[in-house]
Amino acid sequence: MITLDNVSKSFGRTVAVDEVSFTVDRGEVVGFLGPNGAGKSTTMRLITNFLEPDDGAVLIDGVDVREDPVGARRRIGYLPENNPLYDDMLVAEYLRFVGDLRGVGMDGPGSALDDTVQATGIAEVFYRPIGELSKGYKQRLGLAAAILHRPDFLILDEPTEGLDPNQRQEIRRLIREVGKEHTVILSTHVLPEVEETCRRIIVIHEGKIVADGSTENLMAQARDTSTKRTIVVEVRGADVAREVVKLPNVEEVTDESESEGRTRLTLAVGSGPDPRPRDREPAGPVQPADAVGGQVMRNIWTIARKELRTYFDHPTAYILLVVFLALNFFFFFFFLGGVFLTGNASLRSMFDLLPWILLFFIPAVTMGTLAEERRRGTLEVTLSHPLRESQFLLGKYAGSLLFLYIALAGTLLAPLTLSIGGRLDMGVVLAQYIGTAFLMAGMAAVGLFASALTRNQITAFIIATAVIFALMMAGTEGLQMGLPAWLGGAVGELGIMPHFGNVARGVIDLRDVVYFVA
Ligand code: ADP
């Protein structure tokens, strides 16, 4: 079961979720109802551990989701608000991506993939790009991705929002179907939606739970104009009515029955706080430990592969590659010290100027990595799968590095040409390329960091370029002029150019390697 124990979450001065407690049992289909801004999405993000509570805890079978986030993610399927999806992927590719992260069977009839595609009725759009799907099909796909691994708990945030009446009916039918096997928590601000699909309703208003009960009762109450409520409680022991009626806000005991050492009371309760105590759930068995090493590497590789594919799905990536190579070859052949001007068989001119090209090339490659995920909201879906944030970041980093190394590999044409016409020192060339690989890895880390700071790619590009430029300038003598010697030296050590200067000459120094790795 899922238990929220006195959970609160604020954003600045807005209290989005205010001491919320409830428990959802296995097999329940619960409607989480409230007006816009009531705190529904925030509650769902707390359950999926996308957000952490300021106070209180979210427990799955008694285990705090913060203690075992990956274990919790394994058991939850999540469809966030607005159903963020990677529009440039095919439906098939996307489901395979999710399946890889989930470690579920994907091949053949009867596999998890096959079952899910049949259940959600998306077979006919299986090879279509997600961006071209109708809203109804996108919603089915979002649902398919959330139930692919047969989760114990399904969290759906406004799953029918923005759909036309027919599509709404279709999705509600699907949810009812799914609800036969799974525990479902579904948020909505549309009352009829829960009436049709849920057996229990929890109402949230201004961050507080204001009602929690069977759909039937609450609907009846909603039609009742009086503010009084009727609740049924079970109390251990006999002859307890006299005490219970003294509790604050209890007006009357209207019915009493005893069985197996428990007394069932029906209480008339005035408006105001609920007299029922909030019970902490006993701790359940701890979930199995985090995935073994193999799954960790598989997760990183799944993310990296997707990242790399995203580059090659966009024409911009090809343009970037061409510009990068064209500039390099221009510098190599024609710039001061270039082959045609000096007649020397050396890559020196290319490598001397490479950092200046990378200054723009690397931020352009990395700017979207995290900013786009945040802007589109896909970060929230991907992080609801059982992988750690660190694996996600490493995957993103590896993906963009692979792209950068493919670009670097393109420049190998230069030494190849030279080795035909002249005698090239291959040891020097090797050192230059290895050193450059380190430089690129360092710069890409700065780019990824900048991309993590914002939802806007252009802002990320500007930040990354500015930081890398500052690092390039830090090593120049101009900047150190006027500084005390010790400070000038320290600033100089931060600079990229002195470290890369060795690389450009074909010298690998451990100090330079340490610098780039750092
Ligand atoms: P609902 O899903 O019921 O519409 P939300 O949980 O999205 O409500 O929002 C509850 C309150 O918290 C709103 O006042 C909203 O403006 C605020 N809020 C939600 N998320 C954020 C956030 N990331 N930053 C600042 N305020 C937020």
Side-chain angles (χ1 to χ4, degrees), residues 1-76:
M1 58 178 86
I2 292 183
T3 307
L4 273 75
D5 183 21
N6 252 318
V7 173
S8 299
K9 177 77 190 176
S10 301
F11 300 101
R13 261 191 262 153
T14 313
V15 183
V17 171
D18 195 2
E19 298 189 352
V20 162
S21 295
F22 61 82
T23 292
V24 175
D25 263 323
R26 197 169 275 259
E28 276 192 298
V29 179
V30 178
F32 200 52
L33 186 69
N36 280 326
K40 300 183 295 294
S41 295
T42 308
T43 307
M44 306 227 138
R45 289 176 169 160
L46 289 164
I47 296 175
T48 58
N49 201 29
F50 185 69
L51 293 174
E52 290 204 349
D54 301 332
D55 262 315
V58 177
L59 311 163
I60 291 189
D61 286 345
V63 180
D64 194 320
V65 294
R66 278 170 298 190
E67 274 169 34
D68 183 16
V70 174
R73 286 168 191 169
R74 203 167 284 139
R75 301 187 58 194
I76 291 179

Side-chain angles (χ1 to χ4, degrees), residues 250-285:
V250 174
E251 292 181 354
E252 203 186 350
V253 176
T254 56
D255 192 22
E256 193 176 346
S257 64
E258 254 188 72
S259 71
E260 297 172 3
R262 287 163 170 268
T263 309
R264 174 186 281 255
L265 304 170
T266 305
L267 310 175
V269 178
S271 57
D274 198 315
R276 285 171 288 189
R278 290 194 190 105
D279 268 342
R280 231 194 133 86
E281 291 305 323

